[in-house]
Amino acid sequence: MTSHRPAASLAGGARGVELYTRVTLYLFVPLEGFFYLYPVAAVSEHPGPMPSDLALGAVAVAAIVHMGLCFATIHAGFDRPLVDGGRPHPAMVAMLGATAVLLALTVAVLPGGDGWSDARATAVGVCGAATFGALAVGFPFRRLAVAAVAVPVLVVAAAALDGDLRAGTVPVAVFLYLATLFWTGTVRLSMWVLEVVRELTAAREVAARLAVAEERLRISRDMHDVVGRALSAVAVKSDLAAALARRGDARAADEMVEVRTLAHDSLREVRGVVAGYRTADLATELAGARSVLRAAGISVRVVGDVPALDPARQEALAWVVREGVTNVVRHSRATRCRLDLDRDGDAVVLRLENDGAAPAGASTVRPGPSAGTGLTGLRERLAAVGGTLDAAAPGDSFTLTARVPAGAAA
């Protein structure tokens, strides 16, 4: 079962996902400072000379600044690309600069060792992992995974500065590389989920706007069909009533009564168009076609019976009768018109033919790309129920052929 959620609910859900992702990644940033405490604390256990308090303070300040710039980079990556049009974001540039400074201070101040007692190598790995994690908000994971090889390389290089590479350094380097991949992948996955939610929300908003535009198009098309047919019938019957009145024929009053009835019916249908509940009945339209064509002085013949179709396809054929007859009255010099209803295999065919077709380009009843709004609307209606519409104008005649499947509509 399909669930239709209101736009406000979707927007609220997207905001919730974004808030959750932001808070989660923001809270992970201070972990750099926490993990940085271990190698710094291990300095006191190192047998060699101790760094000065000033040097250790410089390393701590650089670590705090680096952590803040990682936070700023992650925050910026939520709202815009870290590299936009070839221009890197200032926060990312500042973070990379702070990374270089922190690495230099780490190598210069912290002593080496073996395994996890190597404060220098461990601090280098933590700094690299934090840097790549911050970059993951704006760069693909594959590129970062390849570039993150620099973390174990730097760890091994930092451990080798004393000229004595211990066996425990390599496992530490491998672990820090895997930790970097884990942290980078976590950030990248979180951003991917957020991007999907954002795209889904944007797609729903576009779908809502398209639905509104489609409804407006439906109403404008239906208004054209209803008002055009009604005004054509009113004009024809008014002319007939005027002609009868000039001759003193009592039938003029009857024609004006029909004009009034047409006006009331059209008003009701226009209201139905706005409400979206209007339907057209094929039998009713055929009866109306006879009345309008005869009032216009056009001989009319209807051949065949109303087929047993589902309501959607019968309504589509009813609109073909309505629009076709309206075009005959308004855009031709017809003296005769014929409507045929027939079966052709698994299809029901409605054919409307009249003489006195207007010259090419003079009306909307001509076939082809310039066939006009009326025929375009009919093709859309028929296509919606699996049908087709063909128009041909051999000589001075015009033929409109509608074909719909005889089965039930999907």
Side-chain angles (χ1 to χ4, degrees), residues 335-367:
T335 58
R336 61 173 181 81
C337 182
R338 173 172 172 150
L339 291 94
D340 290 291
L341 283 164
D342 196 8
R343 288 289 295 264
D344 183 11
D346 294 333
V348 173
V349 179
L350 169 66
R351 186 175 295 102
L352 189 152
E353 182 182 359
N354 63 275
D355 62 353
S363 74
T364 61
V365 300
R366 306 299 296 184

Side-chain angles (χ1 to χ4, degrees), residues 43-200:
V43 171
S44 60
E45 301 176 1
H46 195 270
M50 289 287 296
S52 65
D53 292 340
L54 180 62
L56 289 176
V59 172
V61 170
I64 293 173
V65 172
H66 182 263
M67 186 173 61
L69 290 174
C70 287
F71 184 95
T73 302
I74 291 176
H75 178 74
F78 275 102
D79 302 318
R80 55 172 290 188
L82 292 181
V83 178
D84 190 4
R87 300 177 60 183
H89 195 281
M92 184 184 71
V93 175
M95 182 197 69
L96 294 177
T99 301
V101 172
L102 180 58
L103 289 175
L105 287 174
T106 300
V107 171
V109 174
L110 299 184
D114 183 26
W116 289 107
S117 65
D118 191 333
R120 179 195 304 149
T122 305
V124 166
V126 171
C127 175
T131 300
F132 280 101
L135 293 175
V137 298
F139 292 93
F141 177 75
R142 288 184 179 180
R143 293 173 57 183
L144 294 175
V146 174
V149 175
V151 172
V153 172
L154 289 174
V155 169
V156 173
L161 287 177
D162 295 332
D164 183 16
L165 184 61
R166 308 289 179 88
T169 302
V170 174
V172 171
V174 173
F175 175 82
L176 290 174
Y177 177 66
L178 295 178
T180 301
L181 292 183
F182 174 77
W183 172 229
T184 303
T186 300
V187 175
R188 189 63 248 161
L189 180 61
S190 300
M191 293 302 298
W192 176 77
V193 171
L194 179 60
E195 289 164 4
V196 169
V197 172
R198 285 175 173 176
E199 291 177 2
L200 176 61

Side-chain angles (χ1 to χ4, degrees), residues 311-396:
R313 286 172 177 152
Q314 189 169 139
E315 181 181 359
L317 292 181
W319 279 108
V320 173
V321 173
R322 172 175 291 192
E323 181 66 20
V325 170
T326 299
N327 285 338
V328 169
V329 174
R330 294 177 58 189
H331 303 297
S332 73
R333 301 180 299 275
T335 58
R336 61 173 181 81
C337 182
R338 173 172 172 150
L339 291 94
D340 290 291
L341 283 164
D342 196 8
R343 288 289 295 264
D344 183 11
D346 294 333
V348 173
V349 179
L350 169 66
R351 186 175 295 102
L352 189 152
E353 182 182 359
N354 63 275
D355 62 353
S363 74
T364 61
V365 300
R366 306 299 296 184
S370 61
T373 305
L375 296 188
T376 301
L378 291 180
R379 287 191 175 96
E380 292 175 358
R381 291 180 186 277
L382 290 167
V385 295
T388 60
L389 181 72
D390 296 315
D396 69 339

